[in-house]
Structure formats: structure tokens, C-alpha cells
Amino acid sequence: MKIKFNWGTGIAIAIVLMVSGMLYLVSIATRQDYYLVEDDYYQKSVNYQQKIDKIKNANLLEEKIQLTQLGSNLQLSFPALFKHDLLEGTIQVYSPVSERNDLNIPLQLDSTLQQLVEVSRLPKGRYKIKLDWTADEKPFFQELEIMLE
């Protein structure tokens, strides 16, 4: 028995291949992990002028916050000009790779205006340290980058 191959058979094979390829791509797309960098990105974009003002306040400081890596800890050192101020705020260790690697820690400085943040459970890579604090009701925001090794 001889199989007859004509234009109709070729078109039918092409359509079957195209549909099966599209189904394969749809199955790949449905298995992808889509996550937003931040869940409340819209609200943060609305309040961005407040963040700009905080950054401006931090840029006007004579001394900046210092960040050093000490083994499996990060050491944040605030300038001495905050010695007599009431400091409140948060430290966010932000991973651009995965939200699971993020840390949010309250600001709790010791008497030398330093705080240690343990990062031993975090994988190696690049991180942003986002400092959001107030000193005597004046808001500040500063971002620092570090490569954990």
C-alpha cells in the first residue's frame, strides 16, 4: 500500500505541528513562577515623593552610614551626629533575585550607634540594604549595596 502525499496532507501535518507546538509553549508558560518584586508596588509609586524627600534628607548628612561585612554579619555604623536623637526605623536586606532571601529587621542600635545584622542563612550574591529611619521625627532613607561572599 502506497501512502499518497499531496498538498492537503502537507497542510494538515503543518497545522497539527503548529497546534502541538503552541500547546507545548502554553504548558511551559503556565509552569513559570511569576512574582512581583514588591507586592504593593502601586502604593509605593504613589508615595514616591515622600521617598525622594527622605533620600534628600539623607544626602544632606555630613557623614553617611557605613556598612561593613564582618564574617557572617553586616555591621551598620550610624554617624555620631545621631548620638542624642531618638532613632526608629527598619533595615531591609533586599535580594533582587528572590523574595525568599529578603530580611526585614527593626532598627536597634547599641550605645555606639552600631547594629549587627546576621546574614549567614542568606545565599551568596548581591544585596541592597535599604535603611528607612526617623531621627527626632525627621525621615531619612538610604540604600547601600553589598556583595555577600
Side-chain angles (χ1 to χ4, degrees):
M1 180 169 171
K2 190 173 182 186
I3 297 177
K4 217 174 185 187
F5 186 79
N6 58 26
W7 284 103
T9 307
I11 291 173
I13 291 173
I15 290 174
V16 168
L17 286 175
M18 184 181 71
V19 169
S20 62
M22 289 173 61
L23 289 174
Y24 176 71
L25 291 175
V26 167
S27 70
I28 288 175
T30 57
R31 286 184 268 146
Q32 293 297 318
D33 182 23
Y34 296 106
Y35 63 91
L36 298 174
V37 174
E38 295 178 349
D39 292 332
D40 57 345
Y41 69 93
Y42 180 75
Q43 186 61 38
K44 287 187 178 183
S45 68
V46 169
N47 298 333
Y48 199 69
Q49 183 59 46
Q50 294 172 349
K51 186 175 179 180
I52 291 171
D53 295 339
K54 290 178 181 183
I55 292 170
K56 209 179 283 186
N57 289 341
N59 287 339
L60 292 175
L61 293 174
E62 295 170 12
E63 295 180 57
K64 304 292 183 214
I65 296 172
Q66 300 299 316
L67 176 67
T68 52
Q69 186 173 359
L70 303 172
S72 64
N73 294 320
L74 297 179
Q75 181 182 25
L76 292 166
S77 302
F78 277 70
L81 61 104
F82 290 117
K83 191 163 196 111
H84 301 292
D85 294 342
L86 176 64
L87 295 174
E88 293 179 341
T90 59
I91 302 167
Q92 181 185 13
V93 180
Y94 170 75
S95 169
V97 175
S98 174
E99 184 180 7
R100 288 174 279 175
N101 297 337
D102 291 352
L103 294 176
N104 287 312
I105 302 160
L107 188 64
Q108 297 172 336
L109 300 177
D110 61 12
S111 60
T112 61
L113 296 176
Q114 295 182 346
Q115 181 169 348
L116 287 177
V117 177
E118 191 194 336
V119 291
S120 61
R121 71 166 189 84
L122 296 177
K124 295 178 183 180
R126 186 175 63 97
Y127 290 86
K128 284 186 180 181
I129 311 302
K130 297 180 180 183
L131 303 166
D132 191 356
W133 79 98
T134 58
D136 286 339
E137 298 184 16
K138 186 173 182 181
F140 296 91
F141 183 85
Q142 185 175 348
E143 279 188 10
L144 305 164
E145 287 200 17
I146 192 159
M147 187 73 163
L148 294 180
E149 309 215 3

